[in-house]
């Protein structure tokens, strides 16, 4: 069956970096883009951008340009989200979602605290 | 950028009630509007795509309607398992989520 499995929760200090993975299975990885969505605690969903899993080209929403990097390990059917120079406001659950939004990862909670 | 205004923010209804949730786009988004259900601690789940197409496995009490800028999610007969937060998503130009509607049982 189709699954997106994300890496586990992270606790980081301000200024550190974090890398979240999203491993896809049950379909051809390069047939669909991978999107990333942020959900701050108790808040709504915010679209971060997407990566073309065939070409590797990322597209970032305006609020996520600069410290956020989407990447692939295509041979492993895995998409990654790296956030550098973490800030308190990056504390959130981050979801990956297949390009048709029919399948989502379970979410990865990133907590940024000194 | 397209803005999505979702209403109401909070909704309390009884089992068996007909429930409607609305999303209004700041400009024409054609039919490119999806609806999601998110239960506490879970990932969002796709209910309706492209305004009115029911996703696989979703009960027929869920339906969507609208066009252009105004869209509606309807639950024809509310069930206890429908308690959740509901979000709309436009994907006509970029992607924008609505702020969400928290649905509770009265």
């Amino acid at each position: 069956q189709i699954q997106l499995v994300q890496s586990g929760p992270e606790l980081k200090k301000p200024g550190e970096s974090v890398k979240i993975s999203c491993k896809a299975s049950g379909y051809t990885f390069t047939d669909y883009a991978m999107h990333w969505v942020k959900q701050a605690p108790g808040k709504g969903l915010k679209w971060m951008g997407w990566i073309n899993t065939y070409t590797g080209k990322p597209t970032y929403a305006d609020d996520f340009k600069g410290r956020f990097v989407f990447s692939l390990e295509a041979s492993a059917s895995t998409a990654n989200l790296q956030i550098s120079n973490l800030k308190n406001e990056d504390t959130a659950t981050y979801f990956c979602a297949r390009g048709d939004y029919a399948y989502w990862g379970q979410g990865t909670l990133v907590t940024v605290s000194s | 950028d397209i803005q999505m205004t979702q209403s109401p923010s909070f909704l309390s209804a009884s089992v068996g009630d007909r429930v409607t949730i609305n999303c209004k786009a700041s400009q024409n988004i054609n039919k490119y509007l999806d609806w999601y259900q998110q239960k506490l601690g879970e990932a969002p789940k796709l209910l309706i795509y492209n305004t009115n197409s029911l996703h696989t496995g979703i009960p027929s009490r869920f339906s969507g309607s609208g066009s252009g800028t105004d869209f509606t999610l309807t639950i024809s007969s509310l069930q206890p398992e429908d308690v959740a937060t509901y979000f709309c998503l436009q994907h006509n130009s970029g992607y924008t989520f609505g702020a969400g509607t928290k649905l509770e049982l009265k």
Side-chain angles (χ1 to χ4, degrees), chain A residues 35 37 39 43-47 50 62 95 99-106, chain B residues 1 34 36 38 41-46 55 87 89 94-99:
Chain A
H35 290 235
V37 175
Q39 187 168 41
K43 301 295 186 183
L45 302 167
K46 191 160 188 179
W47 183 69
W50 64 284
D62 286 345
F95 294 98
D100 58 357
Y101 283 85
Y103 296 92
W104 293 61
Q106 81 277 20
Chain B
D1 291 3
D34 302 341
Y36 297 84
Q38 187 179 30
E42 297 183 5
K45 182 169 77 171
L46 176 63
H55 183 53
F87 296 94
L89 169 66
Y95 295 78
T96 314
F97 286 96

Side-chain angles (χ1 to χ4, degrees), chain A residues 1 4-5 9 11 13 15 19 26 30-32 34 37 42 49 54 58 62 64 66 82 84 94 101 106 109-110 114:
Chain A
Q1 74 281 23
L4 300 179
V5 178
L11 175 60
K13 291 181 167 44
K19 190 173 186 178
T30 51
D31 280 353
Y32 294 86
M34 193 68 76
V37 175
Y54 188 75
D62 286 345
F64 298 96
Q82 183 159 351
S84 59
Y94 293 87
Y101 283 85
Q106 81 277 20
L109 175 62
V110 174
S114 53

Side-chain angles (χ1 to χ4, degrees), chain A residues 47-110:
Chain A
W47 183 69
M48 300 175 67
W50 64 284
I51 186 164
N52 184 317
T53 54
Y54 188 75
T55 65
K57 181 187 174 188
T59 299
Y60 301 97
D62 286 345
D63 287 349
F64 298 96
K65 291 178 180 174
R67 298 186 297 114
F68 299 82
V69 176
F70 307 147
S71 64
L72 300 175
E73 296 168 49
S75 60
S77 299
T78 298
N80 300 306
L81 164 64
Q82 183 159 351
I83 311 171
S84 59
N85 189 21
L86 282 162
K87 304 178 187 305
N88 290 332
E89 54 264 38
D90 295 325
T91 294
T93 297
Y94 293 87
F95 294 98
C96 59
R98 200 176 77 167
D100 58 357
Y101 283 85
Y103 296 92
W104 293 61
Q106 81 277 20
T108 296
L109 175 62
V110 174

